[in-house]
Amino acid sequence: MKRFWKKIGAEKDFSVISITDDIIRGARFHLRSKKWHLTSFYAAETTDDSRNEKLREVVRKIGSSDYCAVTGKVPEGVFFRFDSTDMPEKSQRGAVEFELLRQVIRVPEKSVFQFTTDPIAGAEDAVGVNVTLYPQQSIDEISALLTGSGCTADEFIFPFMAVADTMPQLYLPEIESEFYFNNGKWMPVPSDPAELEVLTDRAVSAAQKRFVLPEDEDFPVREYLPVLMTAGVIAANGVSAVSSSLRVLPEKVRPVRYRQHVVLAALLVVLLLVNLGWKFYRTHGKTIREYRKSVVSVKQLKAKTAKMKTTIKRETKDNKEIARVVEMNSGNRVVVPEFALISDILPKDVMVSSIRWNDEAIDMVLICENDKIDLPRLLQPLHRWQVAQLQQRQAGDSAVATINLKLVPLKAKDGEK
């Protein structure tokens, strides 16, 4: 779940603003190619009367970002470092509260603290814990400055929170001018502060390795060291995963809560839509499924009906043909012999061009080269038939004659008489 929220709220840039008594500095960092690039920076000198205006100016110059942290000098703030066992944040907080009683002579009644951890080289499950204790009054003053200038910040992070096991010594005169941090203890600055410049150089080198800084030679890395060290704390944790152990600012000046509210609202809207969809499915799902089944059934029935219509049409046609064949007259069995008799009676020079034979008459068209043929005499052997009609035609000088002959049954002829 924690990774899920990290992914949802993943920011691609952040800014850090350093506030001291006489100057306000700001820088904006952007994640590109898995490296944090310092993309813009600005500094403005200030006085007590112009701090609000200058703070707005710095914010405007460096540009807006997804996440903003402030840093700077905190009157009566106490920083210390101690070794501890690696444990969950809640348990580590208890260890810090216990250590406060050992490190601080008198813990103010109204105070807040923040802490970070980093692994100790060569020691398994051991971490170094950086702790800063703030009087509530100092945090209220920072909040009042942010509110008065119309600006907001997600966290206040003390620059020394970036101290690691690889950085045992650190000197930031703009934050603490009279002491420097040395192997977990605060030591007075020697009479010649130049001796401590080597400590500053180490911090500058570490910042140059962590960030891609502007190639502009005018960029004063040393002056922006508090900003870079605070940015190092954010970059090490990840913008979206800055621990709640760093939280000291009140909610009213922390815009991150609004982003969380927006993400939460979007998630609630999605859940609401899912819930409505589930209710709709449960209420109308059965009806929808039945409707879809009905549509499929109707389509299947239509296809089946069309197929049956085609089959019925084909079978009806076949039945009609069968009925026609069944109803046909099989004919008289004596027709064949009579037909053979007619073939025998007719001379060889007579050709039957066409013949139509039924129970009532025999119609024939004959073609003959003999114009003196006596068909009535030739047809006397047909005892059941007699000549009813005889027509002979011959075209011009043609030797071929066409004879139309009609024979009728004798009983039909007797009936007519």
Side-chain angles (χ1 to χ4, degrees):
M1 181 60 70
K2 188 175 181 181
R3 292 182 179 179
F4 171 75
W5 285 108
K6 286 181 183 179
K7 189 173 182 180
I8 287 183
E11 289 90 359
K12 295 297 184 182
D13 61 359
F14 69 90
S15 57
V16 178
I17 299 172
S18 173
I19 303 173
T20 59
D21 295 335
D22 56 354
I23 194 168
I24 298 177
R25 292 185 177 90
R28 184 167 174 263
F29 300 83
H30 183 76
L31 183 62
R32 187 167 59 246
S33 300
K34 298 183 179 180
K35 293 283 289 183
W36 287 103
H37 295 247
L38 195 156
T39 56
S40 60
F41 61 92
Y42 187 76
E45 296 182 357
T46 182
T47 61
D48 292 340
D49 297 334
S50 63
R51 297 182 81 187
N52 291 342
E53 180 183 348
K54 295 299 181 180
L55 179 57
R56 287 195 297 268
E57 180 181 344
V58 171
V59 173
R60 186 174 64 254
K61 290 291 185 179
I62 64 175
S64 60
S65 60
D66 296 330
Y67 185 93
C68 178
V70 292
T71 188
K73 184 176 181 180
V74 180
E76 301 181 12
V78 178
F79 172 80
F80 63 91
R81 178 180 172 86
F82 72 98
D83 295 341
S84 176
T85 304
D86 189 14
M87 61 184 75
E89 182 180 310
K90 186 176 180 179
S91 301
Q92 197 68 260
R93 180 176 290 275
V96 171
E97 291 175 348
F98 179 79
E99 192 69 22
L100 282 172
L101 302 177
R102 297 179 53 194
Q103 297 283 348
V104 182
I105 298 175
R106 186 180 65 84
V107 178
E109 182 178 353
K110 293 183 178 181
S111 61
V112 293
F113 65 88
Q114 61 182 187
F115 65 92
T116 59
T117 60
D118 67 277
I120 297 178
E124 187 177 356
D125 295 333
V127 294
V129 184
N130 298 328
V131 184
T132 306
L133 177 69
Y134 306 97
Q136 186 62 52
Q137 181 180 354
S138 300
I139 297 299
D140 292 341
E141 291 176 359
I142 296 172
S143 301
L145 175 61
L146 292 171
T147 304
S149 60
C151 300
T152 56
D154 295 287
E155 306 291 352
F156 180 89
I157 303 175
F158 197 60
F160 281 83
M161 300 299 285
V163 172
D165 186 51
T166 56
M167 191 187 299
Q169 298 171 320
L170 181 63
Y171 176 53
L172 294 177
E174 54 270 73
I175 303 299
E176 182 56 67
S177 59
E178 298 180 0
F179 295 89
Y180 73 98
F181 194 72
N182 184 15
N183 290 314
K185 297 181 181 180
W186 288 97
M187 305 293 290
V189 174
S191 57
D192 185 8
E195 298 177 8
L196 301 177
E197 287 301 320
V198 64
L199 307 181
T200 303
D201 292 341
R202 291 177 183 174
V204 169
S205 177
Q208 289 173 333
K209 291 179 181 179
R210 180 178 291 274
F211 300 103
V212 179
L213 302 178
E215 298 179 358
D216 188 353
E217 295 181 357
D218 295 334
F219 176 68
V221 181
R222 172 62 190 83
E223 295 178 8
Y224 279 82
L225 192 54
V227 173
L228 294 173
M229 294 191 66
T230 302
V233 175
I234 300 173
N237 289 272
V239 179
S240 302
V242 174
S243 174
S244 59
S245 63
L246 291 168
R247 195 161 301 156
V248 293
L249 291 177
E251 293 289 338
K252 63 180 180 180
V253 297
R254 298 182 66 248
V256 68
R257 61 195 175 104
Y258 297 115
R259 293 197 294 272
Q260 292 174 347
H261 291 168
V262 170
V263 173
L264 184 60
L267 182 60
L268 289 176
V269 169
V270 172
L271 292 176
L272 179 61
L273 292 175
V274 171
N275 184 43
L276 292 175
W278 175 247
K279 286 185 177 180
F280 179 82
Y281 178 78
R282 291 189 62 184
T283 304
H284 303 285
K286 185 177 180 180
T287 304
I288 293 174
R289 289 194 299 271
E290 291 179 352
Y291 172 75
R292 289 177 177 174
K293 289 176 65 176
S294 300
V295 171
V296 173
S297 299
V298 169
K299 289 183 179 179
Q300 292 176 347
L301 288 173
K302 286 183 176 179
K304 190 174 181 180
T305 302
K307 184 177 180 181
M308 292 179 65
K309 286 182 177 180
T310 303
T311 303
I312 291 172
K313 185 176 180 180
R314 183 175 63 252
E315 291 180 352
T316 301
K317 184 178 180 181
D318 293 342
N319 290 337
K320 287 182 178 180
E321 184 65 19
I322 291 173
R324 187 185 68 82
V325 173
V326 170
E327 293 174 358
M328 286 180 64
N329 190 354
S330 59
N332 196 329
R333 286 179 293 177
V334 301
V335 170
V336 175
E338 291 181 353
F339 185 75
L341 183 58
I342 292 174
S343 299
D344 292 338
I345 292 172
L346 293 177
K348 294 182 178 180
D349 58 351
V350 177
M351 182 181 71
V352 180
S353 176
S354 67
I355 184 171
R356 186 173 62 183
W357 194 321
N358 53 43
D359 294 340
E360 298 178 355
I362 299 175
D363 295 311
M364 291 188 295
V365 178
L366 307 177
I367 299 176
C368 179
E369 294 181 354
N370 184 3
D371 58 349
K372 296 181 179 180
I373 186 170
D374 187 1
L375 285 176
R377 184 182 63 80
L378 291 174
L379 295 175
Q380 285 179 357
L382 298 177
H383 303 293
R384 295 182 61 249
W385 304 91
Q386 65 179 355
V387 178
Q389 182 179 349
L390 178 62
Q391 293 181 355
Q392 183 173 342
R393 299 191 306 274
Q394 190 169 1
D397 298 334
S398 176
V400 179
T402 301
I403 301 171
N404 291 327
L405 176 65
K406 183 174 182 178
L407 302 176
V408 295
L410 287 174
K411 60 180 180 178
K413 183 70 175 176
D414 293 340
E416 288 178 3
K417 291 178 180 179

